[in-house]
Amino acid sequence: MNIKKFNHLLAKSINNGGLSLIDHLLQVKAAAVTIANYLEMDITIAVLGAILHDIGKASTVFQERLKPGFDWTIARPFRHELASLLFISLVDEAIKPQIIEMIVAHHKSIKKDYKGLGILDLQKDYINRDEAFLLHSKDWEIWSKDALGILGCLGFTVREISLQEAKENYYYAVAYCQKLYSNHYGWSPWKGLLMAADIFASSFTKKTEKACSKLFQHPDLTYYNRKGEFHPLSNISSVSEKRHTLVIAPTGSGKTDFLIRRCKGRFFYVLPFQASINAMFLRIKDDLRFHNPDLNIGLLHASSRIQPGITIDEKMLQNKVGATVKVLTPHQIAGIVFGIRGYEAMILDLKGCDVIIDEIHSYNNETKVIVLKIIEMLAHLGCRVHIGSATIPRKLQDNMLEILGRANVYQPKLFNVVLDTFDRHIVHKIPNWIAAQPIIKKAIEEKQKILVICNQVGNAQKVYDELVDTYASIKQLLIHARFARSDRAVKESKLTKNYNNSKKTCIVVSTQVVEVSLDINFDILITESAPLDSLIQRFGRINRERNETTIGKYKPVYVIQPPNNKAAAQPYELDILKRSFAALPDNKLLKERHIQNKIDTVFTNFNISSIDGHSIFSKGEFNIRKLTHAPKSYFLDILNIDTATCIRESQVEKYLALDLSEDEKMNMEIPVHYGTIAGKGLLKIRNIGTAPFIIPDIAYTSEKGIMMNLVTPKNYKPTYYDCFKNRKNIFNRL
C-alpha cells in the first residue's frame, strides 16, 4: 500500500507544524528503539508500542479538532490515546500489558488526573457506561480503515477489526487499569520509555534519527586525570571498590575533578543555584571538548534554554533523556521523589548512572531532607552517588552514610598540614552596614575588587543604590535572582568575564546566587550574616586562586552582626545566624582545620521532618499506584522555588504574538516566588495559574531588576490601570 495515501492524517494541527501522523509514529519509533536498546528493554515491544501509541489520532473526531476555528469550549473530552487502545488485539496476548502501559498513560494518570481525563476518571464521570467508548470509536467504519492501513505500512500484520472487537479491546484496557489501580504499586518502565520517546520525537520531528545518534554516549573523562600541585585532591587516587563517594574539602582543592574522576560513564551533576549551574555547564563543556568533540552535555533549570552559546539542537536536547552529562538543580531531579508527571522517564534516564551532588550544605532544611530521599532512591536505582561539599554537618553526614551504607562509601581525607595551606581569610565582625563604609572607601583607594553579599533582594538593591550614589565613577554590578532571564544571563557573563578579571577596582553587590561553585576571585568581602556553612562558601569567592604567591597570604572578610528580628533574618533562621556569628573568630585568621568543629557547634540538630506522606518511595519500595502521577503543588511549595513569572506591561502584546518563540518569551519573564506576588492584586496575561503576572514598567530596570515596592496596580499606565479598576480581562482577547 502506498504510504503517501495517508499523509493527510495529521498528528499536530497546522498551527503547531502540521506534522503527519505517519511521520510522528516513525519518529517516536526511532527514539523508542534507541532508548530501549540502551536500557536493554525488549525492542519488539518498544516498536509496537511506539507505533500504536498515537494511532487513535487517525480518528475523524481528532482530525476535526485539529482544524482552525474548532470550538473547544463545547467539546466533550476526547483522548487520542484511548482511541489507540481499540487496536490492541493486533498484538500478542503476552505483551498486551506492556503495550497498554505505553499507550494509556503517556499523557494522563489513569485515575485522579488533575483535569479528570484519565481512563478511569472518564469511566466514572460519564453517565452512560459506554459513553467514553462511543465517543472514541465514533465513525469507526471510516477511520479504522485508515488506521489499519497506516499500521500495515509500518510493519504490523493487520486484519479488519469490528466495532465489537474494538469495544472488547477498550474494556480489556479498562479492566487492566482498574486491576492495576486497585492492587499494584510501583512505576512502569514501559510508560517511561514511551513518554521519553514521544517528547524527544515531538521536539526534533524530522531530525529525530540524527538526534538519536547523540544519545547515551560514553564520555572519555581522561581530562580529569590532570595533576595539580595546588589542588591536593588531584593527587589522591579516585580508584576504589566502594561504590559511592563523600568528599568534604575546601574550595579550590579539586573536588569537582575528583568527583568526575569517580564516574564510570554518563553522569548527572546537581548544583543548587542557576549561576553555579551555568558556570559548571560551560566548564564541563570546555573541559571535555578535546576528547569528546561531539558530546551531548545537557543543562537543566528554569531558564537553561536561553543560556548563550548553545545551538538550537543543543537547547532541544537539554531536557530530554540520554545526555552524556547533564548539569541540573535538585528541583529537576526531585520529581522522582514526589512522582511528578514524567518521573518514570527521569528514572530511566538516571538508572545506573553516576550522580554528583555538590554543595549540599546550600539547601534549606526541607530541601536537605528531599536530597536525602533522592539519594535513597538513586541508590535503589543502581546509581553511584558522589557527594561533595566544603562543609557538611556531621549529623547530615551520618544520615547520608546510613542511607548508602558506610562500607560502600569512599571518603578521601586531607591531612591538617594540607588544610593549613587553605587558610586564607582574616575574619572581622562589624556591627552594621554603616561600619562597612570606611572599609569600602579604603578598598577603593587600594584599587581592590569588592564583593558585597546580602541575604534579601531588597537589601541588595538598597546597598547598590547607596554605593552608586557614593562612588559614581566606579564600575559596579548588581546581581540577584529577580531579573528578566535575558538580563540575568548577561549579568552572569559580565560577572565571570569582566568583573572577575578586572584590573581596576570594581564593586559587585549580590545575593546568595554567587555563593556556590562559581569561579570568581575578589579581594575583599562584606557580607550579611548567614548560616556558617554558607558564610564559608561566600568566603571562598575571596582570595580563591592558589599558587606560590597566594598560599600563606590572607585577605579580609567582614561579617555584619545578625539582625534582631526573624523577618530581617529571612530566608534564614535567626538562631542559626546568631550561633554562626558567635562561632566566627574576630580580627583573626580562620583556620581551615577548625571549620568542621565550628560547623558542628552551630548545627547541633538536623531536623529530619518526614515527607513520606508525599514521597512515592519509602523503605526500599514504591508506594505510588502504577500508571498515575502526583500534582506539583506540594513539591513546589516545600522547595520554596520560583513558581511564578512576571512580565512588564509594555511587553504584553509582544509576549502574546503568535510568531514569538518560547525562548523569546522566556527572555522576557522575571521569575518570582508565587507568595511574593500573588497578593498584590495584579493583572495576569490570562486567567490561568501558570500565566505571567503583569507588572508596571516603572517597577523594573535591567540595572536593578524587579523592585517590589513599586509593584502595585496604581503604578500601571492608564490602559492597564483602567483594566484593573474595572475588572476587565482583555488579555484573553489579545
Side-chain angles (χ1 to χ4, degrees), residues 390-459:
T391 53
I392 305 180
R394 291 189 201 278
K395 179 65 175 174
L396 183 55
Q397 293 180 43
D398 290 341
N399 278 278
M400 292 187 293
L401 292 171
E402 182 180 345
I403 290 169
L404 296 172
R406 288 180 186 272
N408 298 324
V409 182
Y410 181 35
Q411 299 184 70
K413 302 289 185 183
L414 297 180
F415 294 110
N416 282 341
V417 66
V418 175
L419 292 177
D420 289 343
T421 68
F422 284 87
D423 296 342
R424 45 194 163 182
H425 303 118
I426 304 291
V427 180
H428 304 276
K429 298 179 180 180
I430 57 177
N432 48 44
W433 173 245
I434 295 173
Q437 307 308 309
I439 298 167
I440 293 174
K441 182 179 179 181
K442 182 180 178 184
I444 290 174
E445 291 170 352
E446 294 175 354
K447 296 181 170 44
Q448 295 183 321
K449 294 186 296 181
I450 305 161
L451 178 62
V452 180
I453 301 182
C454 301
N455 298 335
Q456 300 174 0
V457 172
N459 285 356

Side-chain angles (χ1 to χ4, degrees), residues 429 532 577-586 590 594 597-599 601-602:
K429 298 179 180 180
L532 184 57
L577 296 190
K578 289 181 176 179
R579 292 212 301 268
S580 298
F581 191 73
L584 290 171
D586 189 15
L590 177 64
H594 296 157
N597 287 336
K598 290 180 179 295
I599 289 287
T601 64
V602 172

Side-chain angles (χ1 to χ4, degrees), residues 182-403:
S182 299
N183 303 312
H184 290 266
Y185 292 83
W187 66 286
S188 170
W190 291 105
K191 175 188 172 183
L193 182 144
L194 196 282
M195 289 185 77
D198 194 24
I199 292 169
F200 190 91
S202 295
S203 295
F204 284 95
T205 58
K206 294 179 181 179
K207 297 181 180 179
T208 296
E209 289 196 38
K210 181 179 179 181
C212 283
S213 67
K214 298 193 72 173
L215 298 184
F216 306 113
Q217 297 171 326
H218 194 94
D220 181 344
L221 301 177
T222 54
Y223 173 87
Y224 295 102
N225 293 331
R226 56 185 176 171
K227 304 290 184 181
E229 177 185 355
F230 303 107
H231 306 287
L233 283 172
S234 70
N235 298 302
I236 295 178
S237 174
S238 61
V239 178
S240 171
E241 294 181 358
K242 296 183 178 183
R243 186 170 184 80
H244 310 295
T245 314
L246 175 61
V247 180
I248 302 172
T251 299
S253 58
K255 273 197 308 296
T256 296
D257 280 25
F258 186 87
L259 293 171
I260 295 177
R261 288 209 314 276
R262 288 283 290 152
C263 298
K264 295 185 177 297
R266 296 175 60 228
F267 68 89
F268 291 69
Y269 204 114
V270 183
L271 280 163
F273 297 128
Q274 177 179 318
S276 53
I277 290 170
N278 289 343
M280 186 61 69
F281 166 76
L282 294 173
R283 172 180 172 178
I284 292 174
K285 191 176 173 71
D286 188 58
D287 289 349
L288 297 181
R289 194 184 307 275
F290 179 78
H291 293 289
N292 304 266
D294 197 33
L295 201 65
N296 173 14
I297 300 177
L299 178 69
L300 191 58
H301 57 70
S303 54
S304 56
R305 283 179 57 85
I306 61 171
Q307 175 71 9
I310 305 175
T311 68
I312 292 174
D313 284 356
E314 285 177 319
K315 289 178 181 180
M316 290 195 296
L317 278 167
Q318 284 171 358
N319 62 345
K320 312 303 185 298
V321 299
T324 305
V325 181
K326 189 172 286 186
V327 188
L328 70 168
T329 73
H331 308 149
Q332 274 75 37
I333 207 170
I336 66 172
V337 170
F338 295 104
I340 306 304
R341 183 178 182 272
Y343 80 92
E344 299 99 334
M346 173 67 84
I347 286 177
L348 289 181
D349 202 19
L350 286 162
K351 199 173 181 183
C353 290
D354 289 89
V355 181
I356 297 170
I357 302 177
D358 203 355
E359 308 301 357
I360 194 172
H361 78 278
S362 300
Y363 308 119
N364 61 29
N365 185 78
E366 289 76 13
T367 310
K368 285 174 182 172
V369 174
I370 293 171
V371 170
L372 288 178
K373 184 62 73 171
I374 289 172
I375 291 170
E376 182 184 357
M377 283 194 69
L378 292 175
H380 177 79
L381 295 170
C383 297
R384 291 161 44 90
V385 182
H386 312 294
I387 301 161
S389 184
T391 53
I392 305 180
R394 291 189 201 278
K395 179 65 175 174
L396 183 55
Q397 293 180 43
D398 290 341
N399 278 278
M400 292 187 293
L401 292 171
E402 182 180 345
I403 290 169

Side-chain angles (χ1 to χ4, degrees), residues 14-293:
I14 297 297
N15 287 341
N16 289 317
L19 180 69
S20 77
L21 178 55
I22 285 179
D23 284 343
H24 177 60
L25 297 179
L26 286 171
Q27 290 154 12
V28 175
K29 172 189 170 183
V33 167
T34 301
I35 298 168
N37 202 27
Y38 168 75
L39 295 168
E40 299 182 348
M41 297 173 74
D42 191 303
I43 301 296
T44 299
I45 296 176
V47 169
L48 294 176
I51 293 174
L52 273 178
H53 86 286
D54 269 0
I55 195 63
K57 288 184 175 182
S59 163
T60 54
V61 176
F62 182 84
Q63 293 297 315
E64 184 69 24
R65 295 185 181 199
L66 293 183
K67 293 179 180 178
F70 180 79
D71 188 354
W72 289 90
T73 62
I74 61 172
R76 295 303 305 270
F78 179 89
R79 303 300 319 154
H80 62 268
E81 62 268 32
L82 303 191
S84 299
L85 293 170
L86 307 184
F87 298 88
I88 58 171
S89 53
L90 295 177
V91 302
D92 189 89
E93 191 75 21
I95 62 171
K96 279 185 181 178
Q98 296 96 314
I99 300 298
I100 291 172
E101 289 179 19
M102 293 177 78
I103 295 172
V104 75
H106 73 269
H107 288 303
K108 306 289 182 185
S109 286
I110 58 173
K111 191 171 184 177
K112 294 185 178 179
D113 173 68
Y114 84 106
K115 287 187 176 180
L117 297 179
I119 187 171
L120 300 184
D121 297 323
L122 293 178
Q123 283 304 114
K124 179 181 177 182
D125 292 343
Y126 281 126
I127 297 173
N128 185 318
R129 178 179 181 270
D130 289 336
E131 190 175 352
F133 166 72
L134 291 172
L135 174 63
H136 289 87
S137 61
K138 184 181 178 183
D139 298 331
W140 176 254
E141 291 76 11
I142 299 173
W143 71 269
S144 64
K145 293 181 174 61
D146 284 339
L148 290 168
I150 291 173
L151 294 177
C153 289
L154 299 184
F156 266 76
T157 300
V158 296
R159 54 176 173 74
E160 184 179 347
I161 296 177
S162 68
L163 182 62
Q164 179 59 34
E165 184 178 348
K167 185 175 183 179
E168 291 169 0
N169 287 339
Y170 178 79
Y171 283 109
Y172 182 102
V174 169
Y176 179 76
C177 291
Q178 288 173 331
K179 180 181 177 181
L180 278 188
Y181 192 81
S182 299
N183 303 312
H184 290 266
Y185 292 83
W187 66 286
S188 170
W190 291 105
K191 175 188 172 183
L193 182 144
L194 196 282
M195 289 185 77
D198 194 24
I199 292 169
F200 190 91
S202 295
S203 295
F204 284 95
T205 58
K206 294 179 181 179
K207 297 181 180 179
T208 296
E209 289 196 38
K210 181 179 179 181
C212 283
S213 67
K214 298 193 72 173
L215 298 184
F216 306 113
Q217 297 171 326
H218 194 94
D220 181 344
L221 301 177
T222 54
Y223 173 87
Y224 295 102
N225 293 331
R226 56 185 176 171
K227 304 290 184 181
E229 177 185 355
F230 303 107
H231 306 287
L233 283 172
S234 70
N235 298 302
I236 295 178
S237 174
S238 61
V239 178
S240 171
E241 294 181 358
K242 296 183 178 183
R243 186 170 184 80
H244 310 295
T245 314
L246 175 61
V247 180
I248 302 172
T251 299
S253 58
K255 273 197 308 296
T256 296
D257 280 25
F258 186 87
L259 293 171
I260 295 177
R261 288 209 314 276
R262 288 283 290 152
C263 298
K264 295 185 177 297
R266 296 175 60 228
F267 68 89
F268 291 69
Y269 204 114
V270 183
L271 280 163
F273 297 128
Q274 177 179 318
S276 53
I277 290 170
N278 289 343
M280 186 61 69
F281 166 76
L282 294 173
R283 172 180 172 178
I284 292 174
K285 191 176 173 71
D286 188 58
D287 289 349
L288 297 181
R289 194 184 307 275
F290 179 78
H291 293 289
N292 304 266

Side-chain angles (χ1 to χ4, degrees), residues 430-660:
I430 57 177
N432 48 44
W433 173 245
I434 295 173
Q437 307 308 309
I439 298 167
I440 293 174
K441 182 179 179 181
K442 182 180 178 184
I444 290 174
E445 291 170 352
E446 294 175 354
K447 296 181 170 44
Q448 295 183 321
K449 294 186 296 181
I450 305 161
L451 178 62
V452 180
I453 301 182
C454 301
N455 298 335
Q456 300 174 0
V457 172
N459 285 356
Q461 291 170 329
K462 181 180 177 182
V463 166
Y464 176 78
D465 281 342
E466 291 181 16
L467 291 173
V468 169
D469 287 344
T470 307
Y471 304 105
S473 63
I474 302 298
K475 184 170 71 171
Q476 300 189 46
L477 178 74
L478 173 65
I479 184 168
H480 52 72
R482 301 292 182 257
F483 283 97
R485 291 183 170 123
S486 57
D487 292 337
R488 170 81 179 269
V490 170
K491 284 178 175 289
E492 287 180 9
S493 179
K494 284 183 177 180
L495 172 64
T496 55
K497 295 178 181 178
N498 300 340
Y499 285 78
N500 183 53
N501 298 318
S502 177
K503 302 300 182 184
K504 298 180 180 180
T505 189
C506 61
I507 303 174
V508 171
V509 180
S510 178
T511 56
Q512 300 89 330
V513 297
V514 301
E515 189 175 293
V516 172
S517 293
L518 200 61
D519 193 8
I520 57 174
N521 183 40
F522 280 64
D523 298 312
I524 181 173
L525 169 70
I526 298 167
T527 177
E528 293 182 339
S529 283
L532 184 57
D533 49 4
S534 295
L535 286 174
I536 299 302
Q537 290 295 324
R538 295 180 187 190
F539 297 171
R541 309 312 117 191
I542 306 300
N543 200 16
R544 185 177 177 86
E545 289 185 2
R546 283 178 56 76
N547 54 51
E548 61 277 359
T549 63
T550 61
I551 291 177
K553 303 292 177 62
Y554 312 122
K555 290 193 175 182
V557 294
Y558 296 85
V559 183
I560 299 172
Q561 182 176 314
N564 292 318
N565 63 81
K566 291 182 179 181
Q570 291 296 320
Y572 306 116
E573 296 178 22
L574 182 57
D575 184 55
I576 292 292
L577 296 190
K578 289 181 176 179
R579 292 212 301 268
S580 298
F581 191 73
L584 290 171
D586 189 15
N587 300 319
K588 293 180 182 177
L589 178 68
L590 177 64
K591 296 288 292 179
E592 192 72 34
R593 63 164 69 185
H594 296 157
I595 286 178
Q596 185 65 59
N597 287 336
K598 290 180 179 295
I599 289 287
D600 294 331
T601 64
V602 172
F603 301 99
T604 54
N605 295 304
F606 177 57
N607 179 24
I608 309 179
S609 57
S610 174
I611 61 167
D612 283 346
H614 301 277
S615 169
I616 66 169
F617 186 80
S618 180
K619 298 179 180 178
E621 295 183 351
F622 286 88
N623 54 34
I624 189 171
R625 295 181 188 273
K626 206 170 183 183
L627 301 186
T628 68
H629 56 258
K632 285 186 177 181
S633 54
Y634 178 79
F635 165 69
L636 295 173
D637 184 58
I638 196 170
L639 287 175
N640 194 32
I641 61 177
D642 296 334
T643 55
T645 56
C646 304
I647 63 166
R648 287 166 277 171
E649 57 187 332
S650 59
Q651 295 182 318
V652 170
E653 294 201 31
K654 182 179 179 182
Y655 187 89
L656 292 170
L658 293 177
D659 60 348
L660 197 70

